[in-house]
Amino acid sequence: MTEITTAISPANAAARYRLASLRKYLVLCLLLAAALLVLLADIATGPAWYGLDDVLKTVLMPVDAQPQMRVVIWSIRMPSALMAVVVGMALATAGVQMQTVLNNPLASPFTLGISSAASFGAALALAFGLSFIPVAGEYIVAVNAFIMALGSALVIHSVGLRRGSSVQTIVLLGIALVFSFNTALAIVQYFANDQAVAAIVFWTMGSLTKATWPKLAVTLAVLVLTIPVFVYRRWQLTALRLGEARAASFGIPVRRLRLETLVLISLLSSIPVAFVGTIGFVGLVAPHIARMLVGEDQRHLLPASALIGALIMSSSSTAAKVLVPGAVLPIGVITAVIGLPIFFYLILKGGRETW
Amino acid sequence: MVVLSTEALGAIYGSRPVLTNVSLPPCHGGEIVALIGANAAGKSTLLRRIAGILPGAGHCRLAGVDDRETAIAYMPQDQVSGAALTVFEAVLLARKQTSGWRLADADLHEVEQALAALQIADLGSEYVSELSGGQRQLVALAQCVVRAPTVLLLDEPTSALDLHRQFDVMRHVRSLAKEKGLLVIIAVHDLNLAMKFADKIAILAHGTLHAFGPVTQVLTPANLEAAFRVKSRLETCSQGQLHLIVDDAV
């Protein structure tokens, strides 16, 4: 073969790779621009409509803005609009890493029961004030949601480690967890008082209306703490998609990487659930769209998923305010309406094999 | 020069021992050692134990290398998955896993060379998921080669390749062994391929080492009957090469 080799040019494989990488960075720039534009549109939309230029001026130079507009934008609209972005990024990041470490295209916090577990934990706090560990005030809901999410992620992890455990096993386990926690949630609702039931029902449909700057800061902190870990592990996480044996053959500590990632996924998926309720399909659909656009390399896939997650959430938030004049629809309903057809399209169209 | 030997290697899946007390005599750089044996004889398990990715009893000794982790490259039997990675990306992954954001030209050059050496440079931009089984096997081999190892562990690297490619790959592996002093341990089912390219053969049977040594000493009808339960004979062809002919199952 060596004598044949000399006659064969590498066909500029490296040059083509560099060009392809450049294209992917261009896609990321376009996604960022789109996400910023839709964020502005989200802030501009509401009972009073503002022009995008006015919104931009108020956001960038609040001192020069009209007082009323400044209050509306800075105190009411920006927390929820930014919460949409941060939650979208968190759920999409959780989804893409869940699909990666479980090697499962149907994995997401929503489909595998982690969101349901978080919902149940949060409902216990909302309905009965129960707390798994004693913490102050409104963060009981967040802590309960995280502990339940972590518990279910660990169950999925331990089943995934069993010899002979397949992609189907994990999906079936996820379905079982969703049913179990939904049943548990129904029992909580049965015993809760009317006020608590109303709060739980409203919250299970997802809503950004209760977003505040402190809640946004906590959710952003979770994102800021977890994303750098994924960035640091980008090569290892990408290699994991080649299969467990191959990743291990590269010297990657597969089990530790999986466990570490699942703990971070629990954090990423439970905190948004605790603050804005159950929001489905973002964590499932965003990574698939990102994968189709930029491939599997986490250097591109991670930011692309996060930006698409933000884009879906901001679009949904905007749509929630304009679809029914005078009312704000639950955002979880909108993400499901947007996400489901896209997901069906992804399944049925196929196109280039991306899984 | 790298020297590898094992001392009473063992492995258990659940409660079932799959590898027991396997002590390979010293294998040296520049050699190709073929692991042969019936299904479930323990060939893949032995490779995984040597690669250090499966826990178990015993020791694997490796002399003449600075860093054991980077010295060994292991090609598993399962093929590269259908991830949305191009061939170039998949091979680059094997080369580079932890360091820097930017890619050095040297890394890209090594990937180019590995692809060219296996005649798959033209597949660089193709998605791995869209390749045939044989092409995926070549990508997997390129992933090993690009790491510039001193010990190459290959688990049935030619099982999905056509006859021509099988010879191409084995010749390439042999040239790596001879020119770069690599020790290659390769699990194969094709005994004639093993006979043609290997320097030594290890026969595994029921998770134990049944025989080890130079090809002509180990590949005997008696050993093959014990390991594979077949009646066989070795005959020299008109070109003076030894060939194995299997007459019947016992």
Side-chain angles (χ1 to χ4, degrees):
Chain A
M1 179 173 273
T2 37
E3 59 273 17
I4 302 169
T5 302
T6 51
I8 289 179
S9 150
N12 296 321
R16 280 187 289 166
Y17 169 77
R18 281 210 187 276
L19 189 65
S21 292
L22 208 61
R23 278 200 204 107
K24 288 172 186 174
Y25 283 117
L26 186 66
V27 169
L28 289 180
C29 290
L30 291 173
L31 284 174
L32 179 64
L36 287 174
L37 195 67
V38 179
L39 169 65
L40 283 179
D42 188 15
I43 298 172
T45 316
W49 287 59
Y50 299 123
L52 287 183
D53 52 340
D54 290 334
V55 170
L56 200 59
K57 276 181 205 158
T58 311
V59 169
L60 296 177
M61 292 174 289
V63 183
D64 298 338
Q66 291 173 4
Q68 189 196 354
M69 193 171 171
R70 186 172 63 224
V71 170
V72 168
I73 287 184
W74 275 88
S75 302
I76 301 170
R77 294 198 189 170
M78 271 185 43
S80 63
L82 289 175
M83 188 62 123
V85 169
V86 172
V87 166
M89 292 176 89
L91 292 178
T93 305
V96 75
Q97 301 307 9
M98 210 159 174
Q99 289 168 10
T100 299
V101 295
L102 295 176
N103 195 25
N104 192 322
L106 295 174
S108 81
F110 189 67
T111 49
L112 292 195
I114 291 183
S115 293
S116 300
S119 299
F120 173 65
L124 285 177
L126 285 169
F128 310 122
L130 282 177
S131 173
F132 294 126
I133 53 170
V135 283
E138 59 187 326
Y139 296 105
I140 288 175
V141 177
V143 171
N144 272 16
F146 171 65
I147 290 173
M148 287 306 296
L150 182 63
S152 63
L154 291 178
V155 168
I156 290 167
H157 175 66
S158 57
V159 171
L161 287 180
R162 277 172 47 193
R163 205 171 151 74
S165 166
S166 65
V167 169
Q168 288 81 0
T169 312
I170 299 291
V171 173
L172 290 173
L173 176 69
I175 292 168
L177 285 175
V178 169
F179 281 133
S180 305
F181 286 115
N182 285 352
T183 306
L185 192 63
I187 293 169
V188 169
Q189 284 175 300
Y190 182 78
F191 287 107
N193 61 42
D194 291 348
Q195 201 181 349
V197 169
I200 293 170
V201 168
F202 181 71
W203 175 82
T204 49
M205 286 194 274
S207 171
L208 293 164
T209 53
K210 289 184 180 169
T212 59
W213 283 109
K215 286 177 182 174
L216 176 65
V218 172
T219 317
L220 186 64
V222 167
L223 204 61
V224 169
L225 284 172
T226 50
I227 295 270
V229 180
F230 295 139
V231 171
Y232 181 70
R233 300 258 185 253
R234 61 195 178 279
W235 291 103
Q236 295 190 344
L237 286 164
T238 311
L240 209 51
R241 285 289 287 115
L242 295 170
E244 194 174 319
R246 204 161 301 271
S249 76
F250 294 166
I252 295 169
V254 174
R255 286 193 176 197
R256 200 184 72 199
L257 180 65
R258 264 189 175 165
L259 190 61
E260 190 182 283
T261 307
L262 279 169
V263 170
L264 296 180
I265 288 168
S266 307
L267 201 58
L268 272 173
S269 47
S270 61
I271 300 304
V273 165
F275 289 145
V276 301
T278 310
I279 291 172
F281 296 101
V282 177
L284 184 69
V285 169
H288 280 284
I289 297 173
R291 206 172 273 117
M292 283 185 151
L293 290 174
V294 297
E296 199 76 54
D297 187 337
Q298 291 257 340
R299 288 176 306 149
H300 312 119
L301 180 62
L302 185 59
S305 296
L307 287 170
I308 291 168
L311 203 54
I312 292 175
M313 279 296 286
S314 290
S315 311
S316 302
S317 170
T318 311
K321 288 184 276 185
V322 299
L323 282 177
V324 179
V328 180
L329 294 175
I331 192 166
V333 175
I334 305 290
T335 58
V337 169
I338 292 178
L340 268 172
I342 296 175
F343 191 55
F344 278 126
Y345 173 77
L346 292 174
I347 292 171
L348 297 175
K349 185 200 171 241
R352 190 188 76 215
E353 187 67 54
T354 52
W355 195 271
Chain B
M1 182 194 285
V2 61
V3 182
L4 182 148
S5 60
T6 69
E7 228 172 76
L9 279 191
I12 295 173
Y13 288 146
S15 58
R16 186 170 58 93
V18 285
L19 200 67
T20 313
N21 212 19
V22 173
S23 297
L24 283 181
C27 305
H28 300 86
E31 287 180 345
I32 295 180
V33 178
L35 289 183
I36 63 169
N39 292 334
K43 303 185 292 296
S44 299
T45 306
L46 177 58
L47 288 179
R48 286 163 66 88
R49 283 290 291 115
I50 295 172
I53 61 172
L54 185 71
H59 300 283
C60 175
R61 303 203 184 283
L62 198 58
V65 297
D66 296 328
D67 179 7
R68 185 192 165 96
E69 204 162 283
T70 55
I72 298 179
Y74 163 60
M75 176 182 162
Q77 197 175 350
D78 64 318
Q79 293 177 0
V80 178
S81 77
L85 287 165
T86 64
V87 168
F88 197 95
E89 287 172 334
V91 178
L92 184 65
L93 262 180
R95 170 89 185 164
K96 188 172 174 68
Q97 296 147 38
T98 52
S99 54
W101 197 264
R102 279 184 62 80
L103 293 163
D105 286 337
D107 288 326
L108 299 183
H109 179 71
E110 287 298 327
V111 174
E112 268 186 343
Q113 292 304 309
L115 296 180
L118 289 162
Q119 300 179 12
I120 50 173
D122 56 326
L123 297 179
S125 303
E126 301 291 322
Y127 278 85
V128 175
S129 54
E130 292 169 351
L131 302 181
S132 70
Q135 287 171 325
R136 288 189 194 196
Q137 216 157 30
L138 292 173
V139 173
L141 186 57
Q143 286 180 319
C144 287
V145 172
V146 81
R147 298 179 68 194
T150 41
V151 178
L152 196 50
L153 307 174
L154 306 174
D155 197 350
E156 298 188 29
T158 57
S159 60
L161 300 178
D162 60 52
L163 284 173
H164 185 86
R165 283 287 196 177
Q166 287 182 23
F167 273 76
D168 271 353
V169 164
M170 290 307 295
R171 275 197 209 108
H172 183 56
V173 167
R174 189 165 64 183
S175 76
L176 285 174
K178 300 297 174 206
E179 291 165 19
K180 298 190 175 176
L182 256 69
L183 166 63
V184 182
I185 303 180
I186 180 169
V188 281
H189 270 299
D190 187 333
L191 299 186
N192 279 313
L193 211 59
M195 214 156 60
K196 185 169 179 63
F197 290 100
D199 300 296
K200 289 175 182 166
I201 286 190
I203 299 181
L204 290 176
H206 310 296
T208 60
L209 184 63
H210 178 77
F212 180 90
V215 176
T216 47
Q217 288 177 23
V218 172
L219 224 49
T220 61
N223 278 339
L224 293 176
E225 185 169 341
F228 294 96
R229 293 184 298 148
V230 291
K231 289 278 181 204
S232 62
R233 58 202 151 91
L234 284 161
E235 291 199 353
T236 308
C237 72
S238 57
Q239 293 183 352
Q241 291 181 342
L242 263 183
H243 286 275
L244 178 75
I245 297 163
V246 178
D247 293 316
D248 202 357
V250 177

